[in-house]
Amino acid sequence: MSDKFFYKGRQDARQHHTAYGGFQTNASKKSGSKKYPLTLVVTSEARRKEVEAQVAAAKLHATISVDTREGAVESVNELTAILNKTGTVTTAKSPSRNDACTCGSGLKFKKCCG
């Protein structure tokens, strides 16, 4: 007889989901901090000073290297992504029918402006 009719469990032993990269378990890595600095590449010393000023103004930490080879490409994408990040947008909740009206009349919203 086959054992599959009597075994109440998985036939194969599966590994834990983090063993093969299923989920990002170290999600608390904050790029730009002392522990995880930004890695930036610029093409000249003048540009390096500009980027250092931007990093200092944003109170971040970065490792900036200068690549002066022919056809070198500048890589400051991490910095621009952090600097262009917008804040959380919150909208005012519209009043429900039985709340006081926002115009200040003292009536319910459904009787006044609704």
Side-chain angles (χ1 to χ4, degrees):
M1 285 182 107
S2 174
D3 63 342
K4 72 178 186 179
F5 295 112
F6 302 103
Y7 182 70
K8 293 189 176 189
R10 279 209 166 117
Q11 295 272 339
D12 56 336
R14 299 204 178 168
Q15 295 176 347
H16 194 262
H17 66 276
T18 58
Y20 54 90
F23 294 109
Q24 183 182 5
T25 57
N26 297 330
S28 63
K29 292 181 180 178
K30 185 173 191 250
S31 58
S33 63
K34 279 188 180 181
K35 191 171 183 179
Y36 303 104
L38 299 172
T39 307
L40 308 174
V41 178
V42 293
T43 55
S44 67
E45 275 298 322
R47 180 70 176 139
R48 178 184 177 145
K49 291 183 181 184
E50 291 175 15
V51 171
E52 282 178 349
Q54 289 178 348
V55 168
K59 297 179 183 171
L60 297 172
H61 297 278
T63 322
I64 304 170
S65 59
V66 178
D67 189 6
T68 57
R69 293 180 294 162
E70 184 76 25
V73 178
E74 188 171 274
S75 173
V76 291
N77 295 337
E78 296 177 29
L79 179 63
T80 55
I82 290 175
L83 293 179
N84 293 336
K85 188 182 283 189
T86 59
T88 306
V89 177
T90 57
T91 58
K93 182 184 169 227
S94 61
S96 63
R97 290 175 41 98
N98 291 325
D99 287 344
C101 190
T102 55
C103 70
S105 65
L107 298 174
K108 288 185 178 181
F109 182 74
K110 67 181 178 183
K111 295 279 188 179
C112 183
C113 297

